[in-house]
Amino acid sequence: DTNGLATKGVVDAVRAAAEHYPEHQLIFGLDANAHFGTKKGRLAAADYLAHVTGLGYGVAPAEAAEPTTYNARTYLQTQLAKAIPRAQAAELGDRNPKDYVLFSSNWKAAEIARDNTGDHRFVDSVFPT
C-alpha cells in the first residue's frame, strides 16, 4: 500500500509470528511506505519509528533523516495523470524514508549506508518508474 496505512499491521503480524519462536532472532527488511512529515492518509515516518521501537525492536535507520526513495512516474506508465516532467522530479517526485530493517532489540546496527550503485556509494538522482 503506497501510503503505508497497512504497515503497522504487517509489523504487528510479524511480531506475533516471531513470538512463536522465542529462541530465534528477528531480522526483517521492510518497505514501510513511510513519509516525511504528517499528512492525513499517509504513514508518517516518525509514527512508524515510534511504533516499532514501542514494540521493542531495533530499527535501522533509527531516524528518518534521509530519503531511501527518489522516484517519479514517467509518461510511459499507463497512469498518465501521475506522470511528472523530468524538470519537476525533485519537486514533485516521491522522495521519502520508506525502507527499514527491523531486528531483535539485543542487536545493534554497526554501520548504515545508502547504496544505489552496487559500488558502496549513493548517487542522489531520480529513478524513473
Side-chain angles (χ1 to χ4, degrees), residues 21-36:
Y21 303 95
E23 69 280 5
H24 296 326
Q25 301 294 310
L26 176 74
I27 185 166
F28 179 59
L30 176 67
D31 176 351
N33 282 319
H35 295 78
F36 284 121

Side-chain angles (χ1 to χ4, degrees), residues 2 22 26 55 59 71 81 83 115 129:
T2 306
L26 176 74
L55 294 174
V59 61
N71 59 45
D115 177 2
T129 62

Side-chain angles (χ1 to χ4, degrees), residues 74-98:
T74 67
Y75 289 99
L76 297 176
Q77 294 289 316
T78 56
Q79 298 174 312
L80 288 176
K82 294 182 178 182
I84 297 172
R86 182 158 178 79
Q88 294 179 302
E91 174 188 346
L92 301 175
D94 183 1
R95 193 170 182 169
N96 286 288
K98 294 187 173 190

Side-chain angles (χ1 to χ4, degrees), residues 7 18 35 56-57 66 68 70 74 88-89 96 104 111-112 116:
T7 299
H35 295 78
Y57 286 121
E66 297 183 17
T68 59
Y70 185 13
T74 67
Q88 294 179 302
N96 286 288
S104 298
E111 181 181 344
I112 301 168
N116 60 358

